[in-house]
Amino acid sequence: MRVYLDNNATTIVDPHVFAAMEPFFVQKYGNPNSLHQFASDTHKPLKEAMQKIYAGIGASNEDSVVVTSCATESNNWVFKSIYFEYIVTGRKNHIIVSEVEHPSIIASAKFLETLGCKVTYLPINHEGIVEADTVRDFITDKTALVSIMWVNNETGAIFPIEEIAQICAEKGVLFHTDAVQAIGKLPVDVSTVPIDYLTISAHKFHGPKGVGALYMRKNKELTPLFHGGAQMGGFRSGTLNVAGIVGMGKAIEAAIDGLDFEISEVRELRDRLEDALLDLPDTFVVTPREKRVANTILVSFRGIEGEAMLWDLNRAGIGASTGSACASEDLESNPVMEAIGADADLAHTAIRFSLSRYTTSEEIDYVIDVVKEAVVRLRGISSSYAYAPEGHSDGLDVKSH
Ligand code: 7TS
């Protein structure tokens, strides 16, 4: 059996999305900016797809939703344009992020530090959540931008974005949220939350890879990163990825339609898997379930290296993760576990299982059996587990949920 439980890294393309994209490779391949019928074949589908993307996040026609190549590009764009507009001009000199943002945010922030920008990395609490009040405490009159993710990709923790956006609006500070892991998991609506910039990525919600977007509120438009032929309203030049845009439109529509299924059926399967994992001795999950999206579990198995567990799972046909796929080649401990203050042993033992609407009950049964066997096998050969003191049921001041 092959079971894919790494949906926070990427997702299978919905076959309906694939079917919607297909005509735009071999049949309708015109450049939308050309002045002939090959181009006009693409106009209506493009317009409809863009409408779906606007509707999917509650954007108004006066706002801008600019299609990019991925969330990494959208996130980089925000940081670099803020630098051009506010930091290099001397108007402001400070940015606030959380310490558990995706590397495309952290690395962008660190790059701006090398150019003289000051960055505050906000801590998370013992449940893995950024508290809104900490944002308030660090904003100064020199703060140009606050950027906090809506949902953490490792733990699935939901951050209090409504509150944080409100605080930024009150203080007159621009607010960006990386909503990559929120689309299709919870309602995302920029018409009710004062978010200035919002990042999405199609491949996280059963759309194609290589397509993302940046939402910019009216009058908050950023300097373009790509100058050229003035596509996308001049905000992002480059010939439009017609198939990708059509795919993202179809995928976001399906993700919103599937929200109820996600929070009922997917949650039920996730909870069953989580209950079984927590039934094993010395296993921990940091963020309480009600503070997480429905599809994610980050679980620590004391005494078992995350990579060793992944190896056993992979041999049994199961794909999971020890952290971001982007970082999983360097055998580092999980950054979120470290930020929570987990001891070194536990920080190396975290495994992320992330489900999707395609995950089945049979798959979950199978995964439970495989994990149980792997835990016995790997603890049997683990020196740290054998020598660990008796009764250390709580390795990080964190309760099991
Ligand atoms: N932001 C968040 C919150 C993410 O989870 C990811 C990918 C990205 C940005 C980057 O998206 P992309 O469109 O540029 O690919 N996260 C992960 C992950 O958790 N494991 O692998 C990739």
Side-chain angles (χ1 to χ4, degrees), residues 6 15 72 180 209 310 313 356 363 380:
D6 199 12
T72 298
V180 161
K209 293 169 187 55
L310 270 198
L313 294 176
S356 83
E363 289 175 346

Side-chain angles (χ1 to χ4, degrees), residues 345-358:
D345 179 19
L346 270 188
H348 281 91
T349 64
I351 294 279
R352 179 181 72 185
F353 295 100
S354 46
L355 288 67
S356 83
R357 61 177 189 256
Y358 292 91

Side-chain angles (χ1 to χ4, degrees), residues 8-9 70-72 75 102 104 149 151 153-154 178 180-181 201 203-204 323-326 352:
N8 288 10
C70 58
T72 298
N75 289 344
H102 183 266
S104 55
M149 65 204 325
V151 172
N153 49 315
E154 306 290 352
D178 175 344
V180 161
Q181 301 288 348
S201 182
H203 74 99
K204 306 286 185 178
S324 280
C326 348
R352 179 181 72 185

Side-chain angles (χ1 to χ4, degrees), residues 113-159:
E113 277 185 291
T114 69
L115 301 177
C117 179
K118 293 190 170 61
V119 181
T120 301
Y121 298 88
L122 292 179
I124 48 176
N125 68 16
H126 66 287
E127 293 184 334
I129 289 173
V130 175
E131 288 173 12
D133 279 342
T134 62
V135 178
R136 191 193 306 276
D137 294 345
F138 285 96
I139 290 178
T140 72
D141 57 1
K142 283 292 193 184
T143 308
L145 177 77
V146 172
S147 176
I148 308 283
M149 65 204 325
W150 202 315
V151 172
N152 181 266
N153 49 315
E154 306 290 352
T155 56
I158 302 168
F159 292 172

